[in-house]
Amino acid sequence: MRPHAAIVGAGSLAPQRRTEGASTLGMLARAAKAALDDAQMEKAEIDGLLVGPQVGETPQHVPATVSEYLGLHPVMSNVVDLGGASGPGMVWRAAAAIQAGMCETVLCVIGNHRNPEVPRSPNRNPIREFDVPFGASGANVSYALLKQAHMARHGTTDEDFALIAHWARANAQNCPEAIFHGSPASVEEVMASPMIASPLHLFEIVMPVAGAEAVIVTSAGKAKGRRAAWLLGAGEKITHRAVSQAPSLTSGPLKPAMERAFGQAGVSVDRMSLLSLYDCYTIMVATTLEDAGLCPPGGFGEFMRAHDFGPGGDMALNTHGGQLGYGQPDLAGGMTHVTEAVRQLRGSATGRQIADPEFALVTGNGATMSEAVALVLGAEA
């Protein structure tokens, strides 16, 4: 498809294991300022705003609250609530609003603090009635079920999955901001880490951190002459909420989402210079590699052994360390994959830059392999 929008600015707050006295609004403001500075834009140029759902601080009127705090007066605004897919989901929605003539330059921002005893709203989701009483409480148990199903169906092993976590930690060594910078993990160390929810080991699970991410999406006309990462294709799919209602435990909605994104972009997965894949758990990367068509179902382990996934390798994957190496700043975890892809395509990923990047696949995942967004970004329009 002919690109009509591009990302021209990206801002990040370094992940922190804990915060004290921080506000989500303050963190969003800092990330937004960093994105504006990176884009070399003034705040007055922003006429669109997309934000994530705020936990605790702002349960309602979120765009209005964030707009007021940042001093913005957008003509288009909304909340994007797709869990870990919210970040990439914002990007294509921003582009769609621009194409529709609703606005020209959109700030997409998401993040959260990790103060002691973070307030949480009561959850009345049906999962609380039909899944939780039977032990399916929390993400760890649900993703453990997905890994267990994959191993049972395809004969994959703990070592296969450990390779994913090993590479995440290895790439985090090239990103000083990463929470696990200075802490690589061998395949053996991943497998020896404590069992959290069988068959998931500790090092296969993201570490929650505080943080915030922001990108600025603008029109093709305004992006000309700027360092930009162009939106070439996008896809989205939702299939369920509770894992008990999943159509499949070994393949997810990212498969049709990626197919749609590749179709719009007119390129295939083997043209990707960077795989920026959502990786809340190792099983998420495994199914994404298979659903993308990079390897057959059950073949991701052999695929992992056949490639070098570092920035100088033949199959760059999550060069910032992914969430397993960088950390998961709440729902901004999915946006870290966007900002890393932007930096790689613009040639500004200092210390981990891919040589001559052309295309990047970015994926987002919400709930339990439930909400899926895929983007194809390009270095050129």
Side-chain angles (χ1 to χ4, degrees), residues 270-284:
D270 58 359
R271 295 282 306 279
M272 298 299 109
S273 308
L274 170 67
L275 301 173
S276 198
L277 307 184
Y278 195 91
D279 60 333
C280 50
Y281 296 82
T282 53
I283 179 59
M284 195 64 226

Side-chain angles (χ1 to χ4, degrees), residues 41 84 88 90 141 181 187 279 288 293 343 349 362-363:
M41 283 184 168
M90 290 179 186
V141 171
H181 181 72
V187 170
D279 60 333
T288 303
R343 291 176 180 125
V362 180
T363 64

